Amino acid sequence: MTTPDNWQKSSYSGPGDGDSCVELASTPAVLHLRESDAPETVLTTTPAPVGHLLRAIRTGTVIAPHT
């Protein structure tokens, strides 16, 4: 699998953060996420699950798994 070469760093990454940040690359149908300090590991997903996760975080409806 090939991934895009247009990785963007998180806007929350400041100059003092070094390589500890999340990077995103996308195509119209796929999102690729990685940590900048471990770029060889890439999480690939579609926009819908990420949208659901972000909405749940924003609204406080994330349900923690039972232990």
Side-chain angles (χ1 to χ4, degrees), residues 28-65:
V30 180
L31 298 175
H32 305 279
L33 301 159
R34 70 182 184 185
E35 284 212 39
S36 57
D37 61 349
E40 64 281 352
T41 303
V42 177
L43 172 68
T44 301
T45 187
T46 59
V50 175
H52 292 299
L53 174 63
L54 293 175
R55 270 189 297 286
I57 292 170
R58 287 184 193 124
T59 61
T61 57
V62 175
I63 300 173

